[in-house]
Amino acid sequence: MSLLKLKRSSVHRITCAVVIAEIGRLRESDLVPSISGDWPEAMPIGDEGIGLDSLEQLGALGALAETFNLDDGILGEESPQTVGAWIDLIMRGISQPDASITVRSSGTTDRPQPYPHRVSELLEEASFLAGLLEGRRRVVALVPAHHLYGMIWTALLPDALGIPVVMRKVGTPLSLQPGDLVVAVPDQWRALLRLTRRFPPDVIGVSSGGALDTTIGTELIVAGLARLVDVYGASETGAIAIRDVPAMAYHLLPRWNLMALADGDWQLVDLRGAVAALPDFVERIDDRSLRLAGRRDGAVQVAGHNVSPERIAAILREVVGVVDAAVRLSADGRLKAFVVTPDHRNPSELLSMLELTASARLPFHERPRYFSFGDVLPRNGMGKLKDWD
């Protein structure tokens, strides 16, 4: 049995992130500037503090209960009135050895799916990763702590290292210092590469939440990052393997082993014998190393969300005047679409219909940013879909 314990400071940070995400959902906005931040425990959650109305307070409590797998047996006679009261409830609820935390995927088709994780396993993962990053003085968090990546790297790992966390946003001064550990997703690293002339010495970066382009990673090293760690994982499994850019090989975390399937395919098995599917096809290098060989579901990552290009193309094909369509990830991390039209159709008229359909039926991150038109889909000599400008 693990002797590691979930600290109150970790719960505090995760709590704030979960509530911000829930209120953003209720207010139908990704940005809730009036309630952003890590609030002090004494802060009231009502009008005199965070500013949540009664329905939002219920929504926040429900989101925390779902995340930390709480039930109403731990509730008192009065509903929580401060941030500290939320944390008190959670600390009581997760005191059991089999306590778990539930995260949600960024699903490709339907509603995000819930995935529970034993607290003990999350703490062991954070402890292992912390051991690889000794000497860090501060975590600079560019990601929230309500997703699994953020929970591990901006809540549990800083506590394991005994170092503070500062929150930053790309597009504002990061004020990096030697000894910083910068936690970001690939889209943010791409932006930082363009915004940063030179990183201070002894700054390490971490990337997850999607595939990190090795060229981008190498350019970040050239720009002064002392090290860039790329984490391969999923909401279902947590971290699976890590690599140091620019190396292509990922090395499995101690929890995982590869198990052979038919036709050269592989799956994961953990130390308890539980089996888990790999989100990607992989090439086994040796017992502890692998290379990625493409997503099983064909999904790509856009702004931290798993997106299915084929599902989006199917929606575009429903537009009157569209003969066929294909969707791909462009070089800037946004989606692009190639649309086949009848010879007599004016592409400018069709473009308006396509953009209206995308706005009505797709969330922002699933809407193609660029449209190209032609008589047939671009294909190579083997008949496979190829890229287009």
Side-chain angles (χ1 to χ4, degrees):
M1 179 184 296
S2 173
L3 299 178
L4 300 171
K5 300 293 183 183
L6 187 61
K7 296 182 180 180
R8 189 177 182 92
S9 53
S10 293
V11 172
H12 187 173
R13 177 157 174 73
I14 296 168
T15 294
C16 293
V18 168
V19 171
I20 290 172
E22 175 65 12
I23 302 311
R25 185 188 70 81
L26 292 174
R27 296 181 184 178
E28 298 183 342
S29 171
D30 289 333
L31 300 175
V32 191
S34 63
I35 62 167
S36 295
D38 275 347
W39 311 298
E41 290 199 23
M43 178 172 284
I45 64 178
D47 291 337
E48 64 278 22
I50 299 174
L52 307 187
D53 63 30
S54 59
L55 290 178
E56 289 173 338
Q57 291 181 36
L58 287 175
L61 185 59
L64 292 171
E66 290 177 346
T67 299
F68 291 98
N69 297 299
L70 311 177
D71 61 48
D72 61 3
I74 65 169
L75 296 175
E77 294 297 324
E78 298 289 335
S79 60
Q81 297 300 308
T82 65
V83 173
W86 278 334
I87 299 171
D88 289 339
L89 283 176
I90 294 165
M91 295 304 293
R92 290 200 297 271
I94 61 172
S95 61
Q96 301 302 316
D98 59 349
S100 63
I101 291 177
T102 295
V103 297
R104 294 184 178 274
S105 69
S106 56
T108 57
T109 55
D110 301 312
R111 297 178 60 186
Q113 298 298 307
Y115 295 103
H117 295 268
R118 288 183 175 87
V119 170
S120 59
E121 291 178 347
L122 297 179
L123 291 170
E124 287 167 0
E125 179 178 315
S127 178
F128 169 76
L129 295 170
L132 304 178
L133 295 160
E134 293 179 355
R136 295 304 89 198
R137 301 173 186 170
R138 191 174 66 159
V139 168
V140 178
L142 302 183
V143 299
H146 65 286
H147 293 299
L148 190 55
Y149 173 44
M151 283 185 187
I152 294 291
W153 287 90
T154 72
L156 305 186
L157 181 139
D159 274 350
L161 289 172
I163 58 176
V165 180
V166 295
M167 300 170 65
R168 296 286 189 267
K169 293 182 179 179
V170 176
T172 64
L174 299 187
S175 302
L176 297 178
Q177 304 170 6
D180 279 347
L181 177 67
V182 182
V183 181
V185 297
D187 287 342
Q188 293 169 328
W189 283 117
R190 185 181 293 109
L192 286 176
L193 180 61
R194 303 185 70 181
L195 291 169
T196 307
R197 302 281 73 81
R198 189 75 185 170
F199 289 95
D202 194 27
V203 171
I204 293 178
V206 180
S207 182
S208 192
L212 176 67
D213 186 280
T214 299
T215 300
I216 297 294
T218 302
E219 290 176 358
L220 287 161
I221 297 293
V222 172
L225 277 185
R227 182 182 177 193
L228 181 55
V229 180
D230 184 19
V231 183
Y232 172 53
S235 300
E236 300 93 320
T237 59
I240 296 170
I242 60 174
R243 66 170 177 140
D244 270 62
V245 176
M248 297 301 294
Y250 289 84
H251 300 281
L252 291 169
L253 268 65
R255 173 187 174 190
W256 297 111
N257 290 289
L258 291 174
M259 176 184 290
L261 294 171
D263 302 324
D265 203 358
W266 299 89
Q267 64 183 355
L268 294 169
V269 58
D270 70 10
L271 297 177
R272 297 180 293 108
V275 173
L278 281 159
D280 294 73
F281 294 106
V282 302
E283 174 192 343
R284 178 186 176 277
I285 299 172
D286 56 39
D287 286 348
R288 306 299 305 164
S289 303
L290 56 86
R291 292 189 188 94
L292 303 186
R295 295 265 313 195
R296 294 178 186 275
D297 58 8
V300 297
Q301 283 265 336
V302 179
H305 298 269
N306 288 334
V307 171
S308 170
E310 177 53 37
R311 186 179 74 88
I312 297 167
I315 291 174
L316 299 182
R317 294 186 195 111
E318 296 177 15
V319 175
V320 175
V322 173
V323 176
D324 203 353
V327 174
R328 294 194 115 174
L329 193 66
S330 66
D332 64 359
R334 299 302 301 276
L335 296 175
K336 61 182 181 179
F338 192 100
V339 177
V340 177
T341 64
D343 293 339
H344 64 276
R345 192 63 186 255
N346 185 338
S348 62
E349 295 178 0
L350 188 56
L351 176 60
S352 297
M353 295 180 63
L354 289 164
E355 290 176 336
L356 285 172
T357 299
S359 296
R361 298 184 59 182
L362 297 169
F364 180 78
H365 57 272
E366 292 189 352
R367 299 171 194 168
R369 172 67 66 87
Y370 314 106
F371 287 89
S372 299
F373 298 89
D375 296 332
V376 294
L377 292 177
R379 298 186 183 277
N380 62 20
M382 300 293 291
K384 295 184 178 180
L385 190 70
K386 68 177 184 179
D387 203 359
W388 59 90
D389 293 331

